[in-house]
């Protein structure tokens, strides 16, 4: 047992609360910080041009000497995708299971970080000392193998992070959730439980992944031509069931999409996918085999514009065209915000004459969630019997629902903390209270730029996308104080120049008269000239068109 002292245990999230994605949770005791997961999320519609979003790790950078390591619960993008960006700034050891590290290593190799990153292999029986903190692990079920929950023994008591989980009693890979270990942790006394809230609104139990395998075999058997299956590349249990359904219906398998090819390769090499000899074919061979002997496993379940399935739907894929009578299975539920993209892809597939199977698992039968529903969340709470409860991993309404579930099984209402990213819970001498807020937020990744796209840049991009831009070029005489050339107005995305000559001529006149008036008043500061030109021209254009293009004056003096 630890001796009590004046240090306190602080728990908070830099990502993963009130949102789906970019999970990153922090447990700190005194001079020791442990981070659980380091994910990314995909941009929302108003994040124009942004590739991915990661958490703001300013707090960790300010306390870099205290960070003992990052514990990874499983290999999904929303839990490992931020690592290449985080490790460039914060070089600390990474702890993960065999498959999780295999997926991480592929990312680090691409980012040229593999050689300088310390990676420690763990399993459900491992114990890791991290300063005054000791981490142990327990096996869970999820839609990817080698998922674990984390138990961190602090001088204040046990802090448990479930990771993403469900209770699947017939798992595809026969890796069962360790209920005995969870119950044992609960019997030791859990101070605080951080638990997955994704399906907190769904009553009942989440069906077993094996139910999808039965449905896939039925679809494959009844399909007269090729079958295309789109799913998440990291859903290895689903991929295994596609392989088994293809084998049992005497079909060959082609894999398409960069991330799908990478994951299938890594998972097969590490022994997490069982691929029968001779099953795999190259994309070039698809059209050489009879249509009823082919399955294509593809990326694009979220309607991503550059994914393999979307390119097939638009007839722009280099290797494969969708033909009338092909069966396309979208074995995933759209992430909130992606419904429009998925719907567009489904429409295009139907136009090509495909038979498309899509929609929620209860409708299509080809998808089940990897997250536990209400009864499973209650089971986890009953196994752990926490004194304090912090729902994590979900939008705010999901956190609230999970809090109500905890109340229903006996957790005191005042011991349930519904938090946002950056909110802290401080526990000292066994008593928890809300602490001061730490810096958190979104860091936007655009190309190679990390964090150089902020609200101002997004605002400008939005303005450009809505009303376009006008560039006004003028050359002034420094000595004589008059216009030497111009103004020349260049329009992009505002109006079609040939049909708006009168409007632009009048805009020219307004710019000229504004500049002449200012120069006659001996106003010659560039900032002032530009401001007056933007205001006068902006006012005129809004009156004439009810649009507000970005106006960019370029004034040169000679």
């Amino acid at each position: 047992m630890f001796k009590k002292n004046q240090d306190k245990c602080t728990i908070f999230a830099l990502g993963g609360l009130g949102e789906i994605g970019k999970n990153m949770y922090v447990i700190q005791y005194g001079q020791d910080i442990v981070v659980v997961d380091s994910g990314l999320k995909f941009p929302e519609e108003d994040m124009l041009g942004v590739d991915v979003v990661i958490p703001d790790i300013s707090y960790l950078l300010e306390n870099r000497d205290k960070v003992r390591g990052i514990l990874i619960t499983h290999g999904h993008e929303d839990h490992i995708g931020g690592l290449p960006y985080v490790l460039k700034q914060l070089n600390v050891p990474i702890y993960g299971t065999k498959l999780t590290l295999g997926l991480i290593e592929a990312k680090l190799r691409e980012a040229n970080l593999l050689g300088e990153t310390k990676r420690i292999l763990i399993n459900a029986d491992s114990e890791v000392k991290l300063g005054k903190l000791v981490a142990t692990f327990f096996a869970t079920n999820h839609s990817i193998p080698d998922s674990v929950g984390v138990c961190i023994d602090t001088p204040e008591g046990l802090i448990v992070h479930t990771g993403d989980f469900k209770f699947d009693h017939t798992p595809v890979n026969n890796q069962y959730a360790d209920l005995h270990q969870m119950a044992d942790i609960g019997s030791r006394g859990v101070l605080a439980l951080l638990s997955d809230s994704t399906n907190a609104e769904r009553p009942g139990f989440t069906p077993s992944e094996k139910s999808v395998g039965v449905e896939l075999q039925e679809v494959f058997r009844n399909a007269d031509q090729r079958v295309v299956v789109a799913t998440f590349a990291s859903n290895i249990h689903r991929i295994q069931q596609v392989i088994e359904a293809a084998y049992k219906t005497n079909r060959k398998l082609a894999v398409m999409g960069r991330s799908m090819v990478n994951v299938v390769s890594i998972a097969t090499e590490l022994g997490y996918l069982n691929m029968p000899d001779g099953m795999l074919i190259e994309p070039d061979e698809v059209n050489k085999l009879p249509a009823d002997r082919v399955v294509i496993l593809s990326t694009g379940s979220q309607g991503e514009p550059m994914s393999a399935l979307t390119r097939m739907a638009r007839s722009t894929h280099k290797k494969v065209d969708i033909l009338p009578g092909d069966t396309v299975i979208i074995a995933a539920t759209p992430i909130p915000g992606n419904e429009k993209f998925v719907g567009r892809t489904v429409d295009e597939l139907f136009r090509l004459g495909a038979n498309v199977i899509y929609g929620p698992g209860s409708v299509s039968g080809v998808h089940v969630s990897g997250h536990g529903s209400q009864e499973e969340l209650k089971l986890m709470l009953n196994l752990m019997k926490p004194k304090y409860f912090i729902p994590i991993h979900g939008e705010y309404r999901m956190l609230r629902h999970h809090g109500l579930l905890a109340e229903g099984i006996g957790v005191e209402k005042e011991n349930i903390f519904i938090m946002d990213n950056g909110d802290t819970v401080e526990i000292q001498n066994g008593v928890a209270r809300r602490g001061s807020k730490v810096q958190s937020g979104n860091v936007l990744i655009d190309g190679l730029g990390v964090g150089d796209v902020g609200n101002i840049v997004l605002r400008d991009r939005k303005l450009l996308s809505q009303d376009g831009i006008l560039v006004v070029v003028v050359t002034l005489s420094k000595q004589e104080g008059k216009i030497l050339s111009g103004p020349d107005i260049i329009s992009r995305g505002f109006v079609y120049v040939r049909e708006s000559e009168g409007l632009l001529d009048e805009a020219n006149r307004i710019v000229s008269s504004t500049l002449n008036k200012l120069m006659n008043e001996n106003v010659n500061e560039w900032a002032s000239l530009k401001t007056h030109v933007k205001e006068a021209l902006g006012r005129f254009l809004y009156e004439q068109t009810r649009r507000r293009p970005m106006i960019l004056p370029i004034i040169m003096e000679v």
Side-chain angles (χ1 to χ4, degrees):
M1 290 291 293
F2 292 104
K3 187 180 178 182
K4 301 287 186 186
N5 58 34
Q6 294 307 303
D7 282 328
K8 64 188 175 212
C9 183
T10 306
I11 304 168
F12 58 92
L14 295 175
L17 295 183
E19 62 185 350
I20 300 291
K22 72 177 181 71
N23 293 282
M24 179 177 272
Y25 306 93
V26 180
I27 292 107
Q28 179 172 1
Y29 182 82
Q31 298 302 303
D32 300 309
I33 292 175
V34 173
V35 180
V36 180
D37 290 333
S38 179
L40 58 73
K41 75 172 182 178
F42 294 102
E44 293 162 12
E45 277 192 353
D46 58 351
M47 295 178 179
L48 301 169
V50 173
D51 297 323
V52 295
V53 184
I54 63 170
D56 183 341
I57 61 166
S58 300
Y59 181 86
L60 299 180
L61 296 177
E62 290 164 10
N63 296 274
R64 63 173 67 243
D65 295 338
K66 300 175 185 176
V67 181
R68 304 293 169 238
I70 303 177
L71 311 176
I72 306 295
T73 59
H74 64 282
H76 280 157
E77 283 293 309
D78 57 336
H79 295 260
I80 66 170
L83 282 173
Y85 308 102
V86 169
L87 292 173
K88 281 181 180 173
Q89 305 172 74
L90 188 71
N91 190 359
V92 296
I94 305 298
Y95 298 82
T97 52
K98 184 179 174 184
L99 176 62
T100 304
L101 283 186
L103 296 170
I104 289 170
E105 284 168 2
K107 291 182 172 298
L108 298 182
R109 191 176 293 112
E110 204 170 277
N112 295 318
L113 290 170
L114 191 60
E116 58 197 72
T117 302
K118 188 176 181 183
R119 307 173 306 281
I120 295 102
L121 179 66
I122 55 102
N123 58 38
D125 299 318
S126 298
E127 180 176 297
V128 177
K129 189 160 175 52
L130 302 150
K132 290 185 178 179
L133 308 176
V134 178
T136 53
F137 307 88
F138 53 94
T140 59
N141 297 130
H142 191 37
S143 53
I144 187 170
D146 268 10
S147 299
V148 292
V150 181
C151 177
I152 298 176
D153 202 346
T154 78
E156 282 290 338
L158 300 181
I159 312 293
V160 175
H161 184 300
T162 65
D164 291 4
F165 76 94
K166 65 191 278 189
F167 288 108
D168 192 337
H169 301 298
T170 55
V172 172
N173 60 349
N174 295 321
Q175 288 183 2
Y176 296 88
D178 196 337
L179 275 75
H180 296 290
Q181 197 175 358
M182 295 180 206
D184 180 59
I185 292 168
S187 68
R188 290 161 55 198
V190 172
L191 179 64
L193 173 67
L194 287 69
S195 185
D196 174 15
S197 307
T198 309
N199 279 350
E201 297 169 292
R202 294 189 187 178
F205 293 86
T206 301
S208 170
E209 178 66 30
K210 271 203 172 162
S211 65
V212 174
V214 174
E215 188 66 30
L216 287 173
Q217 286 182 40
E218 188 65 22
V219 173
F220 283 24
R221 197 169 282 116
N222 293 330
D224 296 327
Q225 293 185 197
R226 296 176 304 183
V227 177
V228 180
V229 183
T231 190
F232 287 111
S234 56
N235 193 339
I236 288 168
H237 295 325
R238 186 71 44 80
I239 294 169
Q240 183 64 63
Q241 301 213 90
V242 170
I243 293 168
E244 289 173 7
Y247 180 72
K248 288 178 180 176
T249 55
N250 195 26
R251 291 174 181 264
K252 300 290 187 184
L253 181 72
V255 181
M256 296 187 187
R258 182 166 169 261
S259 59
M260 187 69 79
V261 170
N262 286 344
V263 170
V264 168
S265 172
I266 292 165
T268 304
E269 187 181 322
L270 295 176
Y272 290 90
L273 278 178
N274 178 23
M275 185 78 69
D277 292 339
M279 161 76 67
L280 211 55
I281 61 171
E282 293 296 323
D284 292 332
E285 300 175 67
V286 167
N287 296 322
K288 298 174 185 175
L289 291 171
D292 62 350
R293 290 290 171 261
V294 174
V295 173
I296 297 167
L297 181 62
S298 164
T299 54
S301 64
Q302 298 301 304
E304 305 95 316
M306 296 307 293
S307 67
L309 181 66
T310 303
R311 284 184 283 130
M312 286 184 230
R314 293 176 180 170
S315 300
T316 58
H317 197 281
K318 291 179 181 177
K319 309 283 186 185
V320 177
D321 289 320
I322 298 293
L323 302 175
D326 285 349
T327 297
V328 180
I329 301 169
I330 299 179
T333 298
I335 294 169
N338 285 353
E339 295 89 351
K340 184 172 71 175
F341 301 114
V342 175
R344 193 177 297 154
T345 300
V346 170
D347 272 0
E348 288 165 341
L349 289 166
F350 271 120
R351 285 180 187 279
L352 295 172
N355 171 32
V356 190
I357 299 171
Y358 65 101
S362 57
V363 175
S364 65
V366 294
H367 175 68
V368 296
S369 176
H371 302 268
S373 298
Q374 288 181 354
E375 296 306 313
E376 290 149 283
L377 302 184
K378 287 192 251 183
L379 176 56
M380 180 64 79
L381 282 157
N382 276 314
L383 287 167
M384 293 296 173
K385 303 184 189 71
K387 181 178 180 181
Y388 296 105
F389 177 57
I390 304 171
I392 59 167
H393 196 288
E395 294 172 355
Y396 195 80
R397 66 183 187 279
M398 301 167 187
L399 306 182
R400 292 286 299 181
H401 274 91
H402 204 173
L404 292 172
L405 291 178
E407 254 187 272
I409 64 106
V411 180
E412 297 291 336
K413 186 174 182 178
E414 58 271 21
N415 288 1
I416 298 168
F417 293 89
I418 311 294
M419 307 204 303
D420 286 314
N421 294 327
D423 292 346
T424 66
V425 170
E426 295 177 349
I427 307 175
Q428 192 168 31
N429 297 325
V431 178
R433 62 178 181 83
R434 289 187 180 269
S436 56
K437 202 171 176 72
V438 302
Q439 183 173 334
S440 66
N442 292 330
V443 173
L444 309 182
I445 311 293
D446 185 359
L448 296 176
V450 178
D452 57 352
V453 174
N455 289 333
I456 304 298
V457 174
L458 287 178
R459 185 199 66 195
D460 287 348
R461 287 181 179 181
K462 188 175 182 183
L463 191 60
L464 286 166
S465 72
Q466 290 174 336
D467 291 327
I469 184 172
L470 277 186
V471 181
V472 182
V473 184
V474 186
T475 304
L476 304 179
S477 168
K478 199 170 187 178
Q479 286 80 19
E480 299 175 30
K482 66 179 184 179
I483 297 172
L484 291 181
S485 72
D488 296 317
I489 296 181
I490 303 161
S491 168
R492 290 292 181 270
F494 172 54
V495 290
Y496 184 47
V497 174
R498 289 184 183 176
E499 294 179 1
S500 306
E501 289 179 358
L503 177 73
L504 295 181
D505 286 345
E506 183 62 18
N508 252 321
R509 188 193 65 73
I510 286 170
V511 173
S512 298
S513 64
T514 301
L515 287 173
N516 285 324
K517 180 170 179 285
L518 290 169
M519 288 185 293
N520 288 336
E521 295 171 0
N522 291 321
V523 177
N524 51 23
E525 290 180 2
W526 282 19
S528 184
L529 294 174
K530 287 181 178 181
T531 300
H532 281 84
V533 166
K534 284 170 74 172
E535 287 176 354
L537 191 52
R539 195 163 47 246
F540 165 72
L541 293 173
Y542 184 74
E543 287 169 0
Q544 297 297 313
T545 66
R546 286 297 183 268
R547 300 180 205 161
R548 299 188 191 276
M550 180 180 288
I551 298 169
L552 190 62
I554 298 174
I555 298 175
M556 297 175 287
E557 281 187 339
V558 293

Coordinates of all heavy atoms in Angstrom, one line a residue, residues 354-378:
A354 N -25.7 -1.4 -59.8 CA -25.2 -2.3 -58.7 C -26.3 -2.6 -57.7 O -27.2 -1.8 -57.5 CB -24.0 -1.7 -58.0
N355 N -26.3 -3.7 -57.1 CA -27.1 -4.1 -56.0 C -26.4 -3.7 -54.7 O -25.4 -4.3 -54.4 CB -27.4 -5.6 -56.0 CG -28.1 -6.0 -54.7 OD1 -28.9 -5.3 -54.1 ND2 -27.9 -7.2 -54.3
V356 N -26.9 -2.6 -54.0 CA -26.1 -2.0 -52.9 C -26.8 -2.4 -51.6 O -28.0 -2.2 -51.4 CB -26.0 -0.5 -53.0 CG1 -25.1 0.0 -51.9 CG2 -25.6 -0.1 -54.4
I357 N -26.0 -3.0 -50.7 CA -26.5 -3.4 -49.3 C -25.8 -2.4 -48.3 O -24.6 -2.4 -48.2 CB -26.1 -4.8 -49.0 CG1 -26.8 -5.8 -50.0 CG2 -26.6 -5.2 -47.6 CD1 -26.4 -7.2 -49.9
Y358 N -26.6 -1.6 -47.6 CA -26.1 -0.6 -46.8 C -27.0 -0.3 -45.7 O -28.1 -0.8 -45.6 CB -25.8 0.7 -47.6 CG -27.0 1.4 -48.1 CD1 -27.6 2.5 -47.5 CD2 -27.7 0.8 -49.3 CE1 -28.8 3.0 -48.0 CE2 -28.8 1.4 -49.7 CZ -29.4 2.5 -49.1 OH -30.5 3.1 -49.6
G359 N -26.7 0.6 -44.8 CA -27.6 1.0 -43.7 C -27.1 0.4 -42.4 O -26.2 -0.4 -42.3
P360 N -27.8 0.8 -41.3 CA -27.5 0.3 -40.0 C -27.5 -1.2 -39.9 O -28.2 -1.9 -40.7 CB -28.6 0.9 -39.1 CG -29.1 2.0 -39.8 CD -29.0 1.7 -41.3
G361 N -26.8 -1.8 -39.0 CA -26.7 -3.3 -38.9 C -28.0 -4.0 -38.8 O -28.2 -5.0 -39.3
S362 N -28.9 -3.3 -38.0 CA -30.3 -3.9 -37.8 C -31.0 -4.0 -39.1 O -31.9 -4.9 -39.2 CB -31.1 -3.1 -36.8 OG -31.2 -1.8 -37.2
V363 N -30.7 -3.2 -40.1 CA -31.4 -3.2 -41.4 C -30.7 -4.1 -42.4 O -31.3 -5.0 -43.0 CB -31.5 -1.8 -41.9 CG1 -32.1 -1.8 -43.3 CG2 -32.3 -0.9 -41.0
S364 N -29.4 -3.9 -42.5 CA -28.6 -4.6 -43.5 C -28.1 -6.0 -43.1 O -27.9 -6.9 -43.9 CB -27.4 -3.7 -44.0 OG -26.5 -3.6 -42.9
G365 N -27.8 -6.1 -41.8 CA -27.2 -7.3 -41.2 C -25.7 -7.5 -41.5 O -25.1 -8.5 -41.1
V366 N -25.1 -6.5 -42.2 CA -23.7 -6.6 -42.6 C -22.8 -5.8 -41.7 O -21.6 -5.6 -42.0 CB -23.4 -6.4 -44.1 CG1 -24.1 -7.4 -44.9 CG2 -23.9 -4.9 -44.4
H367 N -23.3 -5.2 -40.6 CA -22.5 -4.4 -39.7 C -23.0 -4.5 -38.3 O -24.2 -4.5 -38.1 CB -22.4 -2.9 -40.2 CG -21.7 -2.1 -39.2 ND1 -20.3 -2.2 -39.0 CD2 -22.1 -1.1 -38.3 CE1 -19.9 -1.3 -38.1 NE2 -21.0 -0.6 -37.7
V368 N -22.1 -4.7 -37.4 CA -22.4 -4.5 -35.9 C -21.4 -3.6 -35.3 O -20.3 -3.5 -35.8 CB -22.5 -5.8 -35.1 CG1 -23.6 -6.7 -35.7 CG2 -21.2 -6.5 -35.2
S369 N -21.7 -2.9 -34.3 CA -20.8 -1.9 -33.7 C -19.8 -2.7 -32.9 O -19.9 -3.8 -32.4 CB -21.6 -1.0 -32.7 OG -20.7 -0.2 -32.0
G370 N -18.6 -2.0 -32.7 CA -17.6 -2.6 -31.8 C -17.7 -2.0 -30.4 O -16.8 -2.3 -29.6
H371 N -18.7 -1.3 -30.1 CA -18.9 -0.7 -28.8 C -20.1 -1.2 -28.1 O -21.1 -1.5 -28.7 CB -19.1 0.9 -29.0 CG -17.9 1.5 -29.7 ND1 -16.9 2.1 -29.0 CD2 -17.7 1.8 -31.0 CE1 -16.0 2.6 -29.9 NE2 -16.5 2.4 -31.1
G372 N -20.0 -1.4 -26.8 CA -21.0 -1.9 -26.0 C -22.2 -1.0 -25.9 O -22.1 0.2 -25.8
S373 N -23.4 -1.6 -25.9 CA -24.7 -0.9 -25.6 C -25.0 -0.8 -24.1 O -24.1 -1.2 -23.3 CB -25.8 -1.6 -26.4 OG -25.5 -1.5 -27.8
Q374 N -26.1 -0.3 -23.8 CA -26.4 0.1 -22.4 C -26.2 -1.1 -21.4 O -25.6 -0.9 -20.3 CB -27.8 0.6 -22.3 CG -28.0 2.0 -22.9 CD -29.4 2.5 -22.7 OE1 -30.3 1.9 -22.3 NE2 -29.6 3.8 -23.1
E375 N -26.6 -2.3 -21.7 CA -26.5 -3.4 -20.8 C -25.0 -3.7 -20.5 O -24.7 -4.1 -19.4 CB -27.3 -4.6 -21.2 CG -28.8 -4.4 -21.3 CD -29.4 -3.8 -20.0 OE1 -29.1 -4.4 -18.9 OE2 -30.1 -2.8 -20.0
E376 N -24.2 -3.6 -21.6 CA -22.8 -3.9 -21.4 C -22.1 -2.8 -20.6 O -21.2 -3.1 -19.8 CB -22.1 -4.0 -22.8 CG -22.6 -5.3 -23.5 CD -22.6 -5.1 -25.0 OE1 -23.5 -4.5 -25.6 OE2 -21.7 -5.7 -25.7
L377 N -22.5 -1.6 -20.8 CA -21.9 -0.5 -20.0 C -22.3 -0.6 -18.6 O -21.4 -0.4 -17.7 CB -22.4 0.9 -20.5 CG -22.2 1.2 -22.0 CD1 -22.6 2.6 -22.3 CD2 -20.7 1.1 -22.4
K378 N -23.5 -1.1 -18.3 CA -23.9 -1.4 -16.9 C -23.1 -2.5 -16.3 O -22.7 -2.5 -15.1 CB -25.4 -1.7 -16.8 CG -26.3 -0.4 -17.0 CD -27.7 -0.7 -16.7 CE -28.6 -0.8 -17.9 NZ -30.0 -1.0 -17.6

